Amino acid sequence: QSALTQPASVSGSPGQSITISCTGTSSDVGSFNLVSWYQQHPGKAPKVIIYEVTKRPSGVSNRFSGSKSGNTASLTISGLQGEDEADYYCCSYAGENTVVFGGGTKLTVL
Amino acid sequence: QLQLMESGPGLVKPSETLSLTCTVTDGSISSSSYFWGWIRQPPGKGLQWIGSLYYSGSTYYNPSLKSRVSISVDTSNNHLSLKLSSVTAADTAVYYCVGYFDWSSFDNWGQGTLVAVSS
């Protein structure tokens, strides 16, 4: 069970859109529509912003969207705002009641 | 809204057993169809799922930690417990308690507690 692969960092200017990829295998991301994304600000617990690949929990901005193609899931943040600067983690169900996280991506808003 | 709070020693010696407790408030740890679990994050690094327990008592562990981990519940005190044996410096991390309905996402998180492994 290996960690999902995410870029270490991404950046964008306010108002722009960015996309963070999350690459797994046919045993996790590719097999299940159970990919979730978490936002973590420094010193805080992670917060779910996307679940089941594309769904947003109540209260999460519609500027956050998710998608999946094959073994790769993606998180897109549109209309970047300063408050979006944080670490982002993807997570996928990997079968047999286990999950695997990505290594995390640091988003910098320029 | 479910509230989770982790507690336990902030320092554990190498080779000893790390023991943490998660207190659940504004909800019952015996709630049907609910999972409870532990996730950790070494300083400056990413998240790692440690393991989970279903309300029925079934437990599920990360294969890489399975030989050293035990998760249990104390329903009388609404507590979730984590025990990690034979710890090394690599087990130094912030440990989070989580509660969730299914494998679609980890909905509720505790604030986390830092545990350092050092002599």
Side-chain angles (χ1 to χ4, degrees):
Chain A
Q1 199 185 60
S2 300
L4 307 177
T5 300
Q6 297 181 232
S9 63
V10 298
S11 63
S13 299
Q16 288 186 331
S17 295
I18 62 95
T19 296
I20 299 171
S21 62
C22 170
T23 300
T25 70
S26 58
S27 296
D28 38 61
V29 175
S31 286
F32 307 98
N33 287 323
L34 292 174
V35 175
S36 52
W37 289 88
Y38 300 84
Q39 178 190 61
Q40 185 181 35
H41 287 108
K44 301 294 187 181
K47 166 192 168 185
V48 59
I49 55 173
I50 295 288
Y51 67 101
E52 293 179 8
V53 180
T54 62
K55 298 178 181 178
R56 279 189 312 275
S58 174
V60 173
S61 171
N62 59 9
R63 297 185 299 105
F64 295 92
S65 61
S67 63
K68 189 184 88 167
S69 177
N71 296 337
T72 298
S74 298
L75 171 71
T76 297
I77 308 174
S78 59
L80 268 180
Q81 299 180 1
E83 66 202 48
D84 299 332
E85 187 161 291
D87 293 327
Y88 292 85
Y89 294 91
C90 62
C91 178
S92 175
Y93 182 69
E96 299 185 337
N97 293 295
T98 65
V99 295
V100 60
F101 280 97
T105 298
K106 181 178 181 60
L107 169 62
T108 300
V109 180
L110 302 171
Chain B
Q1 179 74 7
L2 204 59
Q3 303 289 328
L4 308 172
M5 180 168 290
E6 306 87 349
S7 60
L11 182 64
V12 180
K13 289 181 168 54
S15 81
E16 295 189 343
T17 295
L18 178 159
S19 295
L20 294 176
T21 296
C22 173
T23 301
V24 178
T25 55
D26 295 329
S28 171
I29 204 164
S30 303
S31 294
S32 63
S33 303
Y34 211 66
F35 287 87
W36 306 95
W38 293 92
I39 291 168
R40 70 180 183 178
Q41 184 173 34
K45 296 187 178 181
L47 301 168
Q48 182 184 37
W49 173 71
I50 298 170
S52 298
L53 179 148
Y54 193 44
Y55 82 104
S56 62
S58 297
T59 52
Y60 312 101
Y61 300 125
N62 186 317
S64 67
L65 299 170
K66 187 174 184 177
S67 63
R68 299 194 291 129
V69 175
S70 176
I71 296 175
S72 60
V73 290
D74 174 358
T75 54
S76 61
N77 291 302
N78 235 26
H79 287 170
L80 177 73
S81 295
L82 169 70
K83 292 188 185 302
L84 181 65
S85 64
S86 306
V87 297
T88 69
D91 295 310
T92 293
V94 173
Y95 285 77
Y96 293 100
C97 172
V98 293
Y100 56 107
F101 285 105
D102 55 36
W103 292 107
S104 65
S105 70
F106 297 109
D107 305 290
N108 294 286
W109 295 68
Q111 63 186 16
T113 186
L114 176 61
V115 180
V117 177
S118 174
S119 55

